[in-house]
Amino acid sequence: MAQIESHVAPQVSPAVSPGLWVLAWRRLRADTVAMVALAIVVAYLVTLALSATGVVASNWADEVGVNYAPPTFMGPQSAAERGASPAEPGLAALPPENPLDPLKDIIRTLRAQTASRQPVIVNDYGIPDPIGPELAEVRAELAKGGAAKEVAERKQTLPFGADKWGHDILQKTIKGAETSIVVGLVAALLATFLGTIFGAFSGYFGGKVDDLFNWFYSIFTSVPYLLLILAVAAVLQQKGVVTIVLILGLTGWTGTYRLIRAEYLKHKNREYVWAADAIGASHMRKMFTHIFPNVSHVALVQVSILVVGFIKAEVILSFLGFGVPVGTVSWGSMLNEAQNELILGKWWQLVAASAAMAILVTAFSLFTDALRDALDPKLK
């Protein structure tokens, strides 16, 4: 009896095509510049979380250094070099006598009378101080109470220097990053949310709904963006992080709206939307359950683009005095203070804030470009 061997066909699992996000991640991993930029952005976000929880930069407002303490690599400076008031009231440096001056005798008499009454006390900038004697008495009282000892215990140098109050520039920069990045992220999410909602309704329904949203879009884009946010900030006359977020978020949705509207105009006539309509799906379900997942990459790229723009906008607002209030530090407020310090030759606060902002903005821009290329379905 012949033995019949049965051959069982091997089971072949169906090949699953990788999705959009898997392909995008593969492209990102192959881009060295994008991964380095992503690492820098993640490092900033981790620093933000540590600062928000008080792990780092919690005592940024403490006066740990002397006024205008230089960076450590420069070494300590004298009181005259950093523009600080000396421990004892100083005498004003008088110009030498001109032997050809016809009023030299009168000037000599006035100097003698002034010297016999009281010394001419100068301020931090070498100008005679009219209330110098009163300040000298106050300093003497503070010295008796131990304030002079506290000032003497301040550090002469700090890693990145100190501002005019003795605040550590490094901790101040970290705390300023928290404010600037939070404003950029939250405002970008708000603007993207509004642009996505407006664009979805406008592109999906069309007709009068589309005309209404296009009318709003035309109003917001008819005014230059920077002038628009400055006008809104001047009208509100309220400083604060929430106010800046609302100003940027409510005025920055136009770019996202234009892109999302175009995507919905294209996708609403696709076969899968007709299939959803055939099974009785509601308009909201077709808009945000079926169409939105296919255009979500556009919204994600817009978030990353707006973060960069809103960080720079916050810096401009704070620099011009429309941003964060007194007592809150951001990169913009640091640059506002640094413009006065730069006149005195104290450049370290300007360099610290500018470098921190430039590194983040550059890394975010490079990552945004790589993300846009990775999410482009036309690229293989």
Side-chain angles (χ1 to χ4, degrees), residues 18 89 165 168 175 177 320 340 359:
W165 308 111
D168 189 351
K175 197 66 179 179
L320 296 178
N340 299 323
I359 293 173

Side-chain angles (χ1 to χ4, degrees), residues 24-38 366-367 369-371 373-374:
W25 176 243
R26 291 177 181 175
R27 297 191 187 105
L28 281 177
R29 284 192 304 177
D31 191 342
T32 305
V33 176
M35 296 308 295
V36 172
L38 178 60
L366 293 175
F367 175 72
D369 292 339
L371 181 63
D373 294 341

Side-chain angles (χ1 to χ4, degrees), residues 284-296:
M284 294 294 106
R285 185 173 180 84
K286 286 185 288 186
M287 289 169 58
F288 298 109
T289 302
H290 297 278
I291 299 179
F292 180 72
N294 294 282
V295 302
S296 58

Side-chain angles (χ1 to χ4, degrees), residues 18-26 293 296-298 300 371 375:
L20 174 65
W21 300 106
V22 175
L23 293 175
W25 176 243
R26 291 177 181 175
S296 58
H297 62 282
V298 177
L300 179 61
L371 181 63
L375 290 174

Side-chain angles (χ1 to χ4, degrees), residues 113 145 253 269 285:
Q113 293 176 356
W253 54 268
N269 293 320
R285 185 173 180 84

Side-chain angles (χ1 to χ4, degrees), residues 5 9 27 94 113 135 142 157 170 188 233 244 269 319 327 374 380:
E5 297 181 357
R27 297 191 187 105
L94 299 177
Q113 293 176 356
L135 290 177
L142 292 176
T157 63
L170 178 59
I244 300 177
N269 293 320
F319 180 79
K380 293 184 180 181

